[in-house]
Amino acid sequence: MFVIMAYDINVERVTKVLHIGRRYLNWVQNSLLEGELTKAQFARLKADLCKIIDVEQDSVVFYVLRQEQYLERQILGLDKGGQTMMI
Amino acid sequence: MFVIMAYDINVERVTKVLHIGRRYLNWVQNSLLEGELTKAQFARLKADLCKIIDVEQDSVVFYVLRQEQYLERQILGLDKGGQTMMI
């Protein structure tokens, strides 16, 4: 499945969340990652995040598509993820 | 079409970008909006953003789907957009 992950996390936990996200997905830009995952990988990603986030303060939104072909990506300005990886 | 908009914008311009985004889309969480747009509305949204952003510093990523039915949304933690609108 193709997964887009966008997070809005308190500054105390944001670096840990980014590190977990990057274990599974490709970095696109600040607070945004995407990639192809198996069902098991997606479950592990969510389990790892649940250990870190504070569910009363933080938010992680996933958009899940069975196939990437249904999706068109358009970028205005910099393609930050397309450059050498940063952060 | 269903449009997800995620932005990574220099602090000097971020409030303007949020205001433009909210004219067309629903706020989901920090730097993330989504909603149903016509082709003409989507073109206007991009044209409005192009007047504001610095293409050498800023990045706006759009994910576009013909139909929302192909998409599943999952949230860990707070459903910020589902609360009374803020910002």
Side-chain angles (χ1 to χ4, degrees), chain A residues 11-62:
Chain A
V11 67
E12 293 168 26
R13 292 174 293 279
V14 72
T15 307
K16 284 187 182 173
V17 167
L18 171 63
H19 285 164
I20 291 170
R22 292 195 61 170
R23 264 189 247 149
Y24 297 86
L25 298 166
N26 304 310
W27 187 82
V28 180
Q29 66 180 22
N30 186 32
S31 306
L32 184 68
L33 302 102
E34 63 174 39
E36 195 67 39
L37 295 181
T38 64
K39 212 170 166 177
Q41 287 170 325
F42 186 37
R44 278 206 302 277
L45 167 58
K46 288 188 284 184
D48 288 355
L49 289 170
C50 280
K51 290 177 201 153
I52 300 297
I53 69 168
D54 178 336
V55 294
E56 289 181 4
Q57 288 188 38
D58 302 331
S59 169
V60 184
V61 176
F62 297 101

Side-chain angles (χ1 to χ4, degrees), chain B residues 16-72:
Chain B
K16 283 186 183 172
V17 167
L18 172 63
H19 285 166
I20 291 170
R22 291 195 64 171
R23 263 189 247 150
Y24 297 87
L25 298 166
N26 304 309
W27 187 82
V28 179
Q29 67 180 21
N30 186 32
S31 306
L32 184 68
L33 302 103
E34 63 174 39
E36 195 66 40
L37 294 181
T38 65
K39 212 169 165 177
Q41 286 170 326
F42 185 38
R44 277 207 302 277
L45 167 58
K46 288 187 286 184
D48 288 354
L49 288 170
C50 280
K51 290 177 200 152
I52 300 298
I53 69 169
D54 179 335
V55 295
E56 290 181 5
Q57 288 189 38
D58 303 330
S59 168
V60 184
V61 177
F62 297 100
Y63 297 99
V64 184
L65 290 106
R66 248 179 275 175
Q67 293 178 59
E68 194 181 350
Q69 72 187 56
Y70 295 130
L71 192 73
E72 186 197 343

Side-chain angles (χ1 to χ4, degrees), chain A residues 61-64, chain B residues 2 4 28 34-35 68 71-75 79:
Chain A
V61 176
F62 297 101
Y63 296 100
V64 185
Chain B
F2 187 77
I4 298 161
V28 179
E34 63 174 39
E68 194 181 350
L71 192 73
E72 186 197 343
R73 185 190 301 90
Q74 295 185 23
I75 298 178
D79 182 0

